[in-house]
Amino acid sequence: MNWQGLLSIGVFYIIVLGIGIWASRKSKIEERKCNVRHSEITIVGGRNLNICVSIFTMTATWVGGGYILGTAGLVYDPTKGLLWAVGPLAFSLNMLIGGTFFITPMRSKNYVTLMDPFQEKYGNTIAAVLFIPALLADLFWVASVLGALGATVSVAMDISFTLSVTISSAVAIIYTVLGGLYSVAYTDVIQLMFMIFGLWFCVPFVLTSTYFNNITESAVKRVYQEPWIGQIKLEDAGCWLDDLMLLAIGGICYQAFYQRVLSAASDAQAKLTCFVGAVLCPILGIPSVLVGAVAASTDWNQTSFGERSPYEQGMAGFILPIALKHLCPFFVSVVGMGALAAAVMSSVDSALLSAASQIARNLVLIDLLSDLFQASERSIVVVIRVSIVLCGLLGTLLAITSTSVVLLWIVSADVLYSVMTPQVFCTLFLSRWVNHYGACSGFVLGLLLRGLVGEPLLGLPSVLPLPWDKTLEDGQIQHVVPFRAAIVIITFATNLLVSQISMRKSAKGFLRTTEARIELKDIKCAEQFEPELEED
């Protein structure tokens, strides 16, 4: 056990937990000051979050452990390179798109969660079904970043994987339960400051290492491996575009995004939060790019790592902690590990609160609570806190026991993008043109198409052939066309087409839409009370 490393990480966790507890007290003060529901203070901070805090929490949520580790790993990977590290560009585009188009329709009706417009449009049952991909995405998000943190700490600090995952999860669960969005937002501030300071503090030590060649030369010329700048062949352009769209547009399907923009005091403040975050995300990715470039330019045979390079040992995804450990002094690697832990914690707490908020507010459980407790605010907050604990425990269990959590998260994010993106667009912008028949048809067809296309990471064969498919040496099929974007377009068209057909059938009396049922219910209620009104 590396007691010095464990003590350093422990000090960081104590600081974060202390800030979370302080923020929970601020949440209670705001609860007494604001004339809003208690549950809204927990979920969206009473809609009066400070602008600086909003910017910090938005940026920290997106610049998580996967972003930092993944960017460095892709730059270092000799089969990919910098051009394939689409995270900085995609996250910036995600915030620009979200800030420009999605803030106004969500804030204009004072929604609290992303599922609110679905529940309002289609009812509880269909909204609960559409919520399943979002819930799985949040759970696997928690599990994957906790697993990445555990593996990173075990690589760099020789600390037990299970111990690091358990402690990190416990700290995040405690302060998220105590203070809701206030605790998450204010801890994000200190976590982002740790990230900025820690990562940039390590960069000069990495760049002054004696084991690597000039990174400008290795960017375009083979030195120890292929140039780290990478290349995008014409036949790979579709895959690159698909990855970019997955991250750039798929982010609008996450409750974590809307929780931050809905917590702002005004539309202008919410848009400013997104636009500033769009600038900060690429800037915070620069240290990861530099570390990946140095790692690609390093003669690893001369370091204490071993004879074979990290890529040859299948550890390209953990190149950042490996570089910190073997190219920097010990105290520098400790600071870098604190930055990584901060990045992971800022994503874990956001995903926990995101999943718990929608479980408490939008699932059928609230209908049960309405009957038992008359939907009191206290009961909803209790459900939120219990859901945070349950989601945290489940995510921790997945991180500890599963060896393919990252792959499951990728697939769940893939399904969320392919299936939910058309639903979000239609519900927010084309609400008059769609109904529950179209929503269900698009949902089922999107899942079916995504399953038929296959997923090599999970061993799912490609049953549906696509144009220009390539067969690799190992027999797997590589899709050249951007199939995820194609599924989104097909699902979107299906939603509109089936909705319009069902509306026409409903007008002729063959079908009854959700709106027709609501109208019929209102008519029956009016007929029921009409005799009493006539007597009066």
mmCIF file of all heavy atoms in Angstrom, residues 35-74:
data_model
loop_
_atom_site.group_PDB
_atom_site.id
_atom_site.type_symbol
_atom_site.label_atom_id
_atom_site.label_comp_id
_atom_site.label_asym_id
_atom_site.label_seq_id
_atom_site.Cartn_x
_atom_site.Cartn_y
_atom_site.Cartn_z
ATOM 1 N N ASN A 35 -39.377 31.012 -2.568
ATOM 2 C CA ASN A 35 -40.771 30.586 -2.588
ATOM 3 C C ASN A 35 -40.983 29.512 -3.656
ATOM 4 O O ASN A 35 -41.912 29.578 -4.451
ATOM 5 C CB ASN A 35 -41.680 31.791 -2.863
ATOM 6 C CG ASN A 35 -41.645 32.807 -1.751
ATOM 7 O OD1 ASN A 35 -41.588 32.439 -0.582
ATOM 8 N ND2 ASN A 35 -41.681 34.087 -2.112
ATOM 9 N N VAL A 36 -40.096 28.549 -3.676
ATOM 10 C CA VAL A 36 -40.208 27.442 -4.637
ATOM 11 C C VAL A 36 -40.294 26.141 -3.873
ATOM 12 O O VAL A 36 -40.030 26.086 -2.665
ATOM 13 C CB VAL A 36 -39.000 27.417 -5.602
ATOM 14 C CG1 VAL A 36 -38.956 28.668 -6.442
ATOM 15 C CG2 VAL A 36 -37.692 27.235 -4.843
ATOM 16 N N ARG A 37 -40.644 25.093 -4.568
ATOM 17 C CA ARG A 37 -40.785 23.791 -3.939
ATOM 18 C C ARG A 37 -39.446 23.275 -3.435
ATOM 19 O O ARG A 37 -38.402 23.521 -4.020
ATOM 20 C CB ARG A 37 -41.380 22.803 -4.936
ATOM 21 C CG ARG A 37 -42.792 23.149 -5.387
ATOM 22 C CD ARG A 37 -43.279 22.135 -6.403
ATOM 23 N NE ARG A 37 -44.655 22.405 -6.823
ATOM 24 C CZ ARG A 37 -45.318 21.680 -7.703
ATOM 25 N NH1 ARG A 37 -44.708 20.652 -8.284
ATOM 26 N NH2 ARG A 37 -46.550 21.979 -8.029
ATOM 27 N N HIS A 38 -39.534 22.510 -2.360
ATOM 28 C CA HIS A 38 -38.331 21.922 -1.775
ATOM 29 C C HIS A 38 -37.634 21.013 -2.779
ATOM 30 O O HIS A 38 -36.407 20.989 -2.877
ATOM 31 C CB HIS A 38 -38.710 21.147 -0.504
ATOM 32 C CG HIS A 38 -37.532 20.662 0.264
ATOM 33 N ND1 HIS A 38 -37.646 19.829 1.358
ATOM 34 C CD2 HIS A 38 -36.202 20.876 0.098
ATOM 35 C CE1 HIS A 38 -36.430 19.564 1.822
ATOM 36 N NE2 HIS A 38 -35.549 20.188 1.073
ATOM 37 N N SER A 39 -38.412 20.243 -3.532
ATOM 38 C CA SER A 39 -37.815 19.320 -4.501
ATOM 39 C C SER A 39 -37.080 20.078 -5.605
ATOM 40 O O SER A 39 -36.050 19.615 -6.107
ATOM 41 C CB SER A 39 -38.895 18.429 -5.121
ATOM 42 O OG SER A 39 -39.870 19.197 -5.793
ATOM 43 N N GLU A 40 -37.577 21.264 -5.990
ATOM 44 C CA GLU A 40 -36.902 22.043 -7.026
ATOM 45 C C GLU A 40 -35.587 22.615 -6.521
ATOM 46 O O GLU A 40 -34.648 22.816 -7.296
ATOM 47 C CB GLU A 40 -37.819 23.162 -7.537
ATOM 48 C CG GLU A 40 -39.008 22.648 -8.335
ATOM 49 C CD GLU A 40 -39.719 23.744 -9.086
ATOM 50 O OE1 GLU A 40 -39.155 24.852 -9.190
ATOM 51 O OE2 GLU A 40 -40.834 23.507 -9.586
ATOM 52 N N ILE A 41 -35.497 22.893 -5.236
ATOM 53 C CA ILE A 41 -34.220 23.337 -4.682
ATOM 54 C C ILE A 41 -33.207 22.204 -4.753
ATOM 55 O O ILE A 41 -32.027 22.404 -5.066
ATOM 56 C CB ILE A 41 -34.408 23.821 -3.234
ATOM 57 C CG1 ILE A 41 -35.258 25.090 -3.208
ATOM 58 C CG2 ILE A 41 -33.063 24.070 -2.561
ATOM 59 C CD1 ILE A 41 -35.550 25.614 -1.836
ATOM 60 N N THR A 42 -33.665 20.981 -4.478
ATOM 61 C CA THR A 42 -32.770 19.830 -4.549
ATOM 62 C C THR A 42 -32.344 19.535 -5.974
ATOM 63 O O THR A 42 -31.175 19.221 -6.230
ATOM 64 C CB THR A 42 -33.460 18.589 -3.950
ATOM 65 O OG1 THR A 42 -33.819 18.851 -2.595
ATOM 66 C CG2 THR A 42 -32.534 17.379 -3.993
ATOM 67 N N ILE A 43 -33.264 19.658 -6.930
ATOM 68 C CA ILE A 43 -32.974 19.256 -8.306
ATOM 69 C C ILE A 43 -32.341 20.372 -9.118
ATOM 70 O O ILE A 43 -31.346 20.149 -9.818
ATOM 71 C CB ILE A 43 -34.271 18.773 -8.998
ATOM 72 C CG1 ILE A 43 -34.841 17.555 -8.257
ATOM 73 C CG2 ILE A 43 -34.010 18.423 -10.454
ATOM 74 C CD1 ILE A 43 -36.183 17.095 -8.789
ATOM 75 N N VAL A 44 -32.888 21.593 -9.054
ATOM 76 C CA VAL A 44 -32.380 22.695 -9.887
ATOM 77 C C VAL A 44 -31.944 23.893 -9.058
ATOM 78 O O VAL A 44 -31.854 25.014 -9.571
ATOM 79 C CB VAL A 44 -33.444 23.124 -10.930
ATOM 80 C CG1 VAL A 44 -33.645 22.027 -11.946
ATOM 81 C CG2 VAL A 44 -34.760 23.500 -10.265
ATOM 82 N N GLY A 45 -31.668 23.691 -7.770
ATOM 83 C CA GLY A 45 -31.093 24.752 -6.952
ATOM 84 C C GLY A 45 -31.960 25.978 -6.784
ATOM 85 O O GLY A 45 -31.440 27.097 -6.608
ATOM 86 N N GLY A 46 -33.285 25.816 -6.857
ATOM 87 C CA GLY A 46 -34.158 26.974 -6.682
ATOM 88 C C GLY A 46 -34.146 27.926 -7.853
ATOM 89 O O GLY A 46 -34.676 29.038 -7.769
ATOM 90 N N ARG A 47 -33.503 27.557 -8.962
ATOM 91 C CA ARG A 47 -33.421 28.370 -10.184
ATOM 92 C C ARG A 47 -32.773 29.733 -9.937
ATOM 93 O O ARG A 47 -33.141 30.722 -10.581
ATOM 94 C CB ARG A 47 -34.807 28.566 -10.815
ATOM 95 C CG ARG A 47 -35.540 27.265 -11.136
ATOM 96 C CD ARG A 47 -36.859 27.563 -11.823
ATOM 97 N NE ARG A 47 -37.700 26.381 -11.923
ATOM 98 C CZ ARG A 47 -37.648 25.494 -12.918
ATOM 99 N NH1 ARG A 47 -36.785 25.663 -13.882
ATOM 100 N NH2 ARG A 47 -38.459 24.442 -12.942
ATOM 101 N N ASN A 48 -31.820 29.791 -9.060
ATOM 102 C CA ASN A 48 -31.126 31.071 -8.814
ATOM 103 C C ASN A 48 -29.637 30.852 -8.551
ATOM 104 O O ASN A 48 -29.031 31.550 -7.741
ATOM 105 C CB ASN A 48 -31.778 31.817 -7.641
ATOM 106 C CG ASN A 48 -31.637 31.055 -6.330
ATOM 107 O OD1 ASN A 48 -31.299 29.871 -6.311
ATOM 108 N ND2 ASN A 48 -31.905 31.744 -5.221
ATOM 109 N N LEU A 49 -29.043 29.889 -9.246
ATOM 110 C CA LEU A 49 -27.636 29.577 -9.026
ATOM 111 C C LEU A 49 -26.760 30.715 -9.544
ATOM 112 O O LEU A 49 -27.042 31.315 -10.598
ATOM 113 C CB LEU A 49 -27.284 28.273 -9.744
ATOM 114 C CG LEU A 49 -26.147 27.430 -9.151
ATOM 115 C CD1 LEU A 49 -26.473 27.004 -7.731
ATOM 116 C CD2 LEU A 49 -25.902 26.200 -10.018
ATOM 117 N N ASN A 50 -25.703 31.009 -8.811
ATOM 118 C CA ASN A 50 -24.760 32.051 -9.196
ATOM 119 C C ASN A 50 -24.155 31.744 -10.566
ATOM 120 O O ASN A 50 -23.871 30.599 -10.891
ATOM 121 C CB ASN A 50 -23.663 32.142 -8.131
ATOM 122 C CG ASN A 50 -22.639 33.206 -8.440
ATOM 123 O OD1 ASN A 50 -21.703 32.958 -9.195
ATOM 124 N ND2 ASN A 50 -22.818 34.382 -7.851
ATOM 125 N N ILE A 51 -23.934 32.782 -11.380
ATOM 126 C CA ILE A 51 -23.462 32.594 -12.746
ATOM 127 C C ILE A 51 -22.096 31.918 -12.789
ATOM 128 O O ILE A 51 -21.839 31.034 -13.616
ATOM 129 C CB ILE A 51 -23.431 33.940 -13.506
ATOM 130 C CG1 ILE A 51 -22.917 33.743 -14.940
ATOM 131 C CG2 ILE A 51 -22.597 34.955 -12.762
ATOM 132 C CD1 ILE A 51 -23.748 32.870 -15.790
ATOM 133 N N CYS A 52 -21.198 32.319 -11.886
ATOM 134 C CA CYS A 52 -19.862 31.704 -11.870
ATOM 135 C C CYS A 52 -19.950 30.226 -11.472
ATOM 136 O O CYS A 52 -19.275 29.373 -12.066
ATOM 137 C CB CYS A 52 -18.955 32.455 -10.904
ATOM 138 S SG CYS A 52 -18.574 34.137 -11.428
ATOM 139 N N VAL A 53 -20.792 29.933 -10.487
ATOM 140 C CA VAL A 53 -20.979 28.545 -10.075
ATOM 141 C C VAL A 53 -21.590 27.736 -11.214
ATOM 142 O O VAL A 53 -21.212 26.583 -11.453
ATOM 143 C CB VAL A 53 -21.855 28.466 -8.812
ATOM 144 C CG1 VAL A 53 -22.106 27.017 -8.412
ATOM 145 C CG2 VAL A 53 -21.186 29.208 -7.660
ATOM 146 N N SER A 54 -22.535 28.327 -11.948
ATOM 147 C CA SER A 54 -23.155 27.640 -13.086
ATOM 148 C C SER A 54 -22.119 27.266 -14.135
ATOM 149 O O SER A 54 -22.120 26.149 -14.660
ATOM 150 C CB SER A 54 -24.236 28.530 -13.716
ATOM 151 O OG SER A 54 -25.286 28.783 -12.819
ATOM 152 N N ILE A 55 -21.234 28.190 -14.443
ATOM 153 C CA ILE A 55 -20.201 27.931 -15.448
ATOM 154 C C ILE A 55 -19.261 26.829 -14.978
ATOM 155 O O ILE A 55 -18.910 25.910 -15.738
ATOM 156 C CB ILE A 55 -19.414 29.223 -15.753
ATOM 157 C CG1 ILE A 55 -20.323 30.236 -16.447
ATOM 158 C CG2 ILE A 55 -18.188 28.926 -16.608
ATOM 159 C CD1 ILE A 55 -19.707 31.613 -16.614
ATOM 160 N N PHE A 56 -18.866 26.885 -13.715
ATOM 161 C CA PHE A 56 -17.942 25.891 -13.181
ATOM 162 C C PHE A 56 -18.567 24.495 -13.174
ATOM 163 O O PHE A 56 -17.928 23.517 -13.557
ATOM 164 C CB PHE A 56 -17.513 26.285 -11.760
ATOM 165 C CG PHE A 56 -16.291 27.150 -11.717
ATOM 166 C CD1 PHE A 56 -16.365 28.500 -12.030
ATOM 167 C CD2 PHE A 56 -15.065 26.625 -11.361
ATOM 168 C CE1 PHE A 56 -15.244 29.305 -11.985
ATOM 169 C CE2 PHE A 56 -13.934 27.415 -11.318
ATOM 170 C CZ PHE A 56 -14.022 28.769 -11.636
ATOM 171 N N THR A 57 -19.820 24.409 -12.729
ATOM 172 C CA THR A 57 -20.435 23.082 -12.618
ATOM 173 C C THR A 57 -20.745 22.503 -13.993
ATOM 174 O O THR A 57 -20.624 21.291 -14.209
ATOM 175 C CB THR A 57 -21.716 23.138 -11.763
ATOM 176 O OG1 THR A 57 -22.212 21.815 -11.590
ATOM 177 C CG2 THR A 57 -22.793 23.985 -12.379
ATOM 178 N N MET A 58 -21.116 23.341 -14.968
ATOM 179 C CA MET A 58 -21.343 22.850 -16.325
ATOM 180 C C MET A 58 -20.049 22.314 -16.930
ATOM 181 O O MET A 58 -20.004 21.208 -17.494
ATOM 182 C CB MET A 58 -21.896 23.980 -17.197
ATOM 183 C CG MET A 58 -22.043 23.605 -18.673
ATOM 184 S SD MET A 58 -23.341 22.402 -18.970
ATOM 185 C CE MET A 58 -24.763 23.497 -19.045
ATOM 186 N N THR A 59 -18.969 23.066 -16.790
ATOM 187 C CA THR A 59 -17.688 22.656 -17.363
ATOM 188 C C THR A 59 -17.149 21.418 -16.674
ATOM 189 O O THR A 59 -16.667 20.480 -17.327
ATOM 190 C CB THR A 59 -16.674 23.804 -17.259
ATOM 191 O OG1 THR A 59 -17.227 24.988 -17.838
ATOM 192 C CG2 THR A 59 -15.387 23.454 -17.986
ATOM 193 N N ALA A 60 -17.235 21.386 -15.340
ATOM 194 C CA ALA A 60 -16.692 20.248 -14.591
ATOM 195 C C ALA A 60 -17.452 18.961 -14.895
ATOM 196 O O ALA A 60 -16.859 17.878 -14.915
ATOM 197 C CB ALA A 60 -16.746 20.543 -13.090
ATOM 198 N N THR A 61 -18.749 19.076 -15.142
ATOM 199 C CA THR A 61 -19.537 17.883 -15.456
ATOM 200 C C THR A 61 -19.093 17.258 -16.765
ATOM 201 O O THR A 61 -18.962 16.034 -16.880
ATOM 202 C CB THR A 61 -21.032 18.235 -15.528
ATOM 203 O OG1 THR A 61 -21.450 18.741 -14.258
ATOM 204 C CG2 THR A 61 -21.868 17.016 -15.864
ATOM 205 N N TRP A 62 -18.838 18.077 -17.772
ATOM 206 C CA TRP A 62 -18.454 17.548 -19.080
ATOM 207 C C TRP A 62 -16.968 17.159 -19.122
ATOM 208 O O TRP A 62 -16.601 16.188 -19.770
ATOM 209 C CB TRP A 62 -18.768 18.583 -20.151
ATOM 210 C CG TRP A 62 -19.990 18.242 -20.942
ATOM 211 C CD1 TRP A 62 -20.070 18.110 -22.290
ATOM 212 C CD2 TRP A 62 -21.304 17.972 -20.456
ATOM 213 N NE1 TRP A 62 -21.345 17.772 -22.671
ATOM 214 C CE2 TRP A 62 -22.132 17.683 -21.563
ATOM 215 C CE3 TRP A 62 -21.886 17.938 -19.188
ATOM 216 C CZ2 TRP A 62 -23.478 17.355 -21.451
ATOM 217 C CZ3 TRP A 62 -23.220 17.620 -19.063
ATOM 218 C CH2 TRP A 62 -23.999 17.336 -20.182
ATOM 219 N N VAL A 63 -16.118 17.926 -18.451
ATOM 220 C CA VAL A 63 -14.686 17.602 -18.417
ATOM 221 C C VAL A 63 -14.468 16.605 -17.282
ATOM 222 O O VAL A 63 -13.972 16.941 -16.207
ATOM 223 C CB VAL A 63 -13.832 18.863 -18.221
ATOM 224 C CG1 VAL A 63 -12.341 18.519 -18.273
ATOM 225 C CG2 VAL A 63 -14.148 19.887 -19.307
ATOM 226 N N GLY A 64 -14.848 15.385 -17.512
ATOM 227 C CA GLY A 64 -14.739 14.333 -16.497
ATOM 228 C C GLY A 64 -13.543 13.431 -16.731
ATOM 229 O O GLY A 64 -12.666 13.699 -17.557
ATOM 230 N N GLY A 65 -13.540 12.325 -15.999
ATOM 231 C CA GLY A 65 -12.433 11.394 -16.108
ATOM 232 C C GLY A 65 -12.318 10.778 -17.486
ATOM 233 O O GLY A 65 -11.212 10.615 -18.019
ATOM 234 N N GLY A 66 -13.458 10.436 -18.098
ATOM 235 C CA GLY A 66 -13.426 9.868 -19.433
ATOM 236 C C GLY A 66 -12.879 10.837 -20.455
ATOM 237 O O GLY A 66 -12.139 10.449 -21.372
ATOM 238 N N TYR A 67 -13.199 12.119 -20.306
ATOM 239 C CA TYR A 67 -12.711 13.152 -21.226
ATOM 240 C C TYR A 67 -11.196 13.294 -21.123
ATOM 241 O O TYR A 67 -10.487 13.298 -22.137
ATOM 242 C CB TYR A 67 -13.405 14.468 -20.886
ATOM 243 C CG TYR A 67 -12.957 15.662 -21.690
ATOM 244 C CD1 TYR A 67 -13.525 15.935 -22.927
ATOM 245 C CD2 TYR A 67 -11.986 16.532 -21.198
ATOM 246 C CE1 TYR A 67 -13.130 17.048 -23.658
ATOM 247 C CE2 TYR A 67 -11.587 17.639 -21.917
ATOM 248 C CZ TYR A 67 -12.160 17.896 -23.146
ATOM 249 O OH TYR A 67 -11.763 18.994 -23.869
ATOM 250 N N ILE A 68 -10.689 13.389 -19.898
ATOM 251 C CA ILE A 68 -9.258 13.603 -19.707
ATOM 252 C C ILE A 68 -8.447 12.368 -20.094
ATOM 253 O O ILE A 68 -7.464 12.448 -20.846
ATOM 254 C CB ILE A 68 -8.985 14.006 -18.248
ATOM 255 C CG1 ILE A 68 -9.599 15.381 -17.967
ATOM 256 C CG2 ILE A 68 -7.492 14.032 -17.955
ATOM 257 C CD1 ILE A 68 -9.502 15.812 -16.530
ATOM 258 N N LEU A 69 -8.856 11.205 -19.573
ATOM 259 C CA LEU A 69 -8.141 9.972 -19.885
ATOM 260 C C LEU A 69 -8.297 9.599 -21.359
ATOM 261 O O LEU A 69 -7.328 9.164 -22.000
ATOM 262 C CB LEU A 69 -8.652 8.833 -19.007
ATOM 263 C CG LEU A 69 -8.346 8.919 -17.511
ATOM 264 C CD1 LEU A 69 -9.096 7.827 -16.769
ATOM 265 C CD2 LEU A 69 -6.861 8.798 -17.248
ATOM 266 N N GLY A 70 -9.515 9.741 -21.884
ATOM 267 C CA GLY A 70 -9.774 9.340 -23.262
ATOM 268 C C GLY A 70 -9.015 10.184 -24.271
ATOM 269 O O GLY A 70 -8.505 9.658 -25.270
ATOM 270 N N THR A 71 -8.943 11.499 -24.036
ATOM 271 C CA THR A 71 -8.224 12.370 -24.962
ATOM 272 C C THR A 71 -6.746 12.021 -25.013
ATOM 273 O O THR A 71 -6.154 11.903 -26.097
ATOM 274 C CB THR A 71 -8.404 13.843 -24.553
ATOM 275 O OG1 THR A 71 -9.805 14.168 -24.563
ATOM 276 C CG2 THR A 71 -7.669 14.767 -25.502
ATOM 277 N N ALA A 72 -6.124 11.846 -23.847
ATOM 278 C CA ALA A 72 -4.709 11.462 -23.807
ATOM 279 C C ALA A 72 -4.486 10.101 -24.454
ATOM 280 O O ALA A 72 -3.511 9.901 -25.201
ATOM 281 C CB ALA A 72 -4.213 11.450 -22.365
ATOM 282 N N GLY A 73 -5.392 9.151 -24.190
ATOM 283 C CA GLY A 73 -5.252 7.809 -24.751
ATOM 284 C C GLY A 73 -5.360 7.789 -26.265
ATOM 285 O O GLY A 73 -4.605 7.080 -26.943
ATOM 286 N N LEU A 74 -6.285 8.574 -26.843
ATOM 287 C CA LEU A 74 -6.443 8.608 -28.291
ATOM 288 C C LEU A 74 -5.250 9.274 -28.968
ATOM 289 O O LEU A 74 -4.810 8.842 -30.041
ATOM 290 C CB LEU A 74 -7.729 9.350 -28.658
ATOM 291 C CG LEU A 74 -9.028 8.592 -28.391
ATOM 292 C CD1 LEU A 74 -10.228 9.509 -28.559
ATOM 293 C CD2 LEU A 74 -9.149 7.395 -29.320
#
